[in-house]
Amino acid sequence: MPTLRFTKDHEWVRLDGDTAVIGITDYAQQQLGDIVYVELPEPGSRVEAGKEAAVVESAKAASEVYAPVSGEVVAVNELIAGDPAKVNADPMGDGWFLSVKLDDPKALDALMDEAAYQAFVAEQG
Amino acid sequence: MDSEKPADLRRTPLHTLHIARGAKMVPFAGYEMPVQYPTGIISEHLHTRAKAGLFDVSHMGQVALHGVTAAMLETLVPGDIAGLTEGRMRYTLLLNDDGGIIDDLMAIRFADRLGLVVNAATKEGDVAHLRDRLGAATGVELLEDRALLALQGPAAAAVLARIAGAGVATMPFLSCALVERPGMTLFVTRSGYTGEDGFEISVPADRAVALAELLLAEPEVLPVGLGARDTLRLEAGLCLYGHDIDETTTPVSAGLAWTIAKRRREESSFPGAARILKELAHPPARRRVGIRPDGRAPAREGSAIVDPAGNLVGEVTSGGFSPSLNAPIAMGYVARPYSDPGTALSVVVRDVARPARVSPMPFVPTHYYRGH
């Protein structure tokens, strides 16, 4: 079973071999509301853990999506660039943002597992 | 996040209704207001364009003027108030002595007095200004015991006719009427801030929930929050005070010279007349325009506007995503040589200049009531 981890900024990261798929959580899409635009990095570029990797704009405002881990961008989800509402509809599936080739697969160990993330969200009220 | 909300925010008489309907509440102009309901901004927006949306605008200032003649009010605004007949209303501007815009408002001619509807964030300042300028013999009363609802959209007339009687359906645009309902007297105006046909309904605060529930029980009506109110007014090309207009903008630079009546120009008798008449003859350096970015990225308030060579020529004052056009739209001020529709410009979003064009406004056709 692939490793699934979460950040306090409400991104998720799913490890598949040495590649990690990244997106935003259901809680994040609910807080944002209707998503109207996403800006994705160029494949081949690098993302750094904790730094901006993508931008997501709701009807109200723009927000950053931070990279949970460092690595090289191997693919981005062009489907959500054309139809950003997919992020609202299926944030953990069709609404993924990007995949990266990890510098260090152990980097996920520092992130929250699903139970810890759900507890973290519950604390947000 | 909820715990960070300041405790001193005011609530409108519809607060419990918003909470019961699952609204997301946000601070706005000193009030705790619904930004959206669970349906979401885009659905609320499109529903208002297709059927009818109900908005709580009780935070706005309803002002009764006692002992104030049309001539007295005309010393503070450039509109033709003397020519306003009983039961009619007009969009006008409160101007400072330099012609800067203190507020935009509706002036209403009642049988026995004048009334105003002013912006929420500016209402206390407006009242102070009016009291200062109109003198001690007059009364400027902020009606704190009334709520204000807006019912907007193509189905608004049919819906309101069921509740307030068939007469409302043929009320002219920018007219008003008193409607007696069991247990409440409604003051109805055919007006709004969405570009659609619709009404604004002033109701005693203690009857506001009952009226809102009556309207929401009609099948065409959904509650709509401030989020969609903003996207709707932006599509209609309407200014938001404090963003698109303020004391640093004049009616001419703001594209609101149409609010300056011919007689008022001839008499040169409104605040800032010398400067404004000069601007009418020799257009000012910058002008409010509509902007259509080419791609999907919204250009928000504060985004720089540059010419194709990268020179700064203006700034976005309102911007977002148009649900009707499924594309970003914005308005802002640009240097006059760049203000013609079709002019190629760029908007700077996250340090990247993105191609855009000056666009006519409204961005979406308006559907104000013009009779059958």
Side-chain angles (χ1 to χ4, degrees):
Chain A
M1 202 169 139
T3 307
L4 181 62
R5 291 290 181 268
F6 297 85
T7 72
K8 288 186 173 182
D9 297 313
H10 307 286
E11 292 94 12
W12 57 262
V13 51
R14 188 185 287 119
L15 188 63
D16 186 8
D18 62 354
T19 302
V21 182
I22 294 163
I24 67 170
T25 66
D26 188 58
Y27 176 85
Q29 71 80 18
Q30 280 184 37
Q31 291 296 307
L32 289 166
D34 292 324
I35 291 167
V36 298
Y37 177 71
V38 295
E39 199 159 278
L40 299 165
E42 290 292 325
S45 65
R46 282 193 52 83
V47 294
E48 304 296 333
K51 301 276 175 61
E52 180 182 314
V55 174
V56 57
E57 296 211 23
S58 72
K60 281 303 285 177
S63 310
E64 292 79 28
V65 176
Y66 299 104
V69 288
S70 300
E72 182 187 327
V73 178
V74 292
V76 296
N77 186 1
E78 294 294 348
L79 275 179
I80 64 168
D83 184 7
K86 275 193 168 31
V87 180
N88 291 118
D90 190 10
M92 302 285 288
D94 285 351
W96 64 280
F97 276 62
L98 65 154
S99 64
V100 302
K101 188 170 182 298
L102 285 175
D103 290 352
D104 173 13
K106 287 197 166 50
L108 267 68
D109 294 348
L111 303 174
M112 288 180 277
D113 65 14
E114 185 151 18
Y117 177 68
Q118 294 305 341
F120 173 71
V121 166
E123 282 171 25
Q124 306 293 303
Chain B
M1 275 181 278
D2 287 356
S3 58
E4 291 171 19
K5 280 178 187 159
D8 56 357
L9 287 177
R10 299 175 69 181
R11 292 174 171 181
T12 75
L14 293 178
H15 186 263
T16 53
L17 182 146
H18 300 317
I19 300 298
R21 288 182 177 259
K24 182 176 177 184
M25 305 300 285
V26 299
F28 180 84
Y31 285 79
E32 196 178 343
M33 296 298 290
V35 66
Q36 65 166 81
Y37 298 85
T39 36
I41 292 173
I42 291 177
S43 296
E44 290 167 27
H45 177 114
L46 296 175
H47 187 89
T48 304
R49 291 263 183 258
K51 292 181 179 173
L54 183 69
F55 304 73
D56 179 10
V57 290
S58 304
H59 56 316
M60 297 188 75
Q62 302 179 62
V63 180
L65 300 178
H66 304 285
V68 177
T69 63
M72 290 162 78
L73 184 57
E74 282 191 355
T75 63
L76 305 180
V77 304
D80 180 8
I81 307 302
L84 202 52
T85 55
E86 183 184 331
R88 296 296 172 125
M89 63 200 288
R90 182 161 287 164
Y91 176 74
T92 192
L93 305 168
L94 207 52
L95 298 178
N96 68 25
D97 294 332
D98 296 322
I101 302 172
I102 297 172
D103 201 4
D104 64 338
L105 63 142
M106 283 289 180
I108 306 166
R109 172 87 256 176
F110 296 93
D112 57 341
R113 60 179 169 82
L114 289 163
L116 308 175
V117 180
V118 304
N119 283 297
T122 46
K123 62 185 179 184
E124 309 290 347
D126 290 355
V127 166
H129 176 73
L130 289 161
R131 283 181 180 148
D132 178 47
R133 295 300 178 95
L134 292 172
T138 64
V140 179
E141 182 189 3
L142 193 55
L143 303 174
E144 303 276 20
D145 58 345
R146 295 189 78 82
L148 193 62
L149 307 185
L151 181 69
Q152 300 280 297
V159 166
L160 193 62
R162 277 175 229 144
I163 286 161
V168 298
T170 51
M171 284 174 63
F173 182 51
L174 300 183
S175 72
C176 49
L178 274 179
V179 176
E180 295 294 341
R181 279 277 311 159
M184 58 179 121
T185 299
L186 309 179
F187 177 68
V188 178
T189 63
R190 196 154 207 165
S191 57
Y193 192 46
T194 60
E196 295 298 325
D197 183 21
F199 302 86
E200 289 165 301
I201 309 159
S202 173
V203 58
D206 61 356
R207 306 301 295 155
V209 169
L211 176 64
E213 292 291 7
L214 269 179
L215 292 166
L216 290 168
E218 296 298 321
E220 299 96 329
V221 184
L222 271 185
V224 179
L226 290 183
R229 181 170 160 82
D230 191 49
T231 53
L232 287 158
R233 70 89 195 169
L234 183 55
E235 283 185 353
L238 299 170
C239 291
L240 176 60
Y241 191 81
H243 300 260
D244 307 306
I245 48 177
D246 59 27
E247 294 208 41
T248 70
T249 60
T250 67
V252 184
S253 64
L256 300 174
W258 60 270
T259 66
I260 310 171
K262 183 165 173 286
R263 172 177 61 81
R264 305 301 313 280
R265 296 180 193 203
E266 288 164 2
E267 292 172 1
S268 182
S269 59
F270 49 89
R275 176 185 177 191
I276 288 169
L277 293 173
K278 196 173 136 198
E279 286 187 352
L280 284 167
H282 305 283
R286 60 185 197 135
R287 174 77 156 80
R288 183 174 65 94
V289 296
I291 295 156
R292 291 280 309 259
D294 288 354
R296 281 189 67 94
R300 309 277 179 182
E301 180 177 1
S303 299
I305 301 171
V306 298
D307 71 9
N311 302 303
L312 184 68
V313 297
E315 185 177 317
V316 171
T317 51
S318 282
F321 197 80
S322 159
S324 301
L325 299 172
N326 192 32
I329 55 174
M331 62 172 83
Y333 284 80
V334 296
R336 196 160 53 84
Y338 300 90
S339 61
D340 290 337
T343 304
L345 294 167
S346 290
V347 286
V348 180
V349 178
R350 290 180 288 278
D351 301 325
V352 178
R354 303 166 197 242
R357 272 176 203 286
V358 175
S359 165
M361 290 190 285
F363 295 101
V364 169
T366 55
H367 299 102
Y368 302 123
Y369 180 72
R370 296 295 181 197
H372 291 294

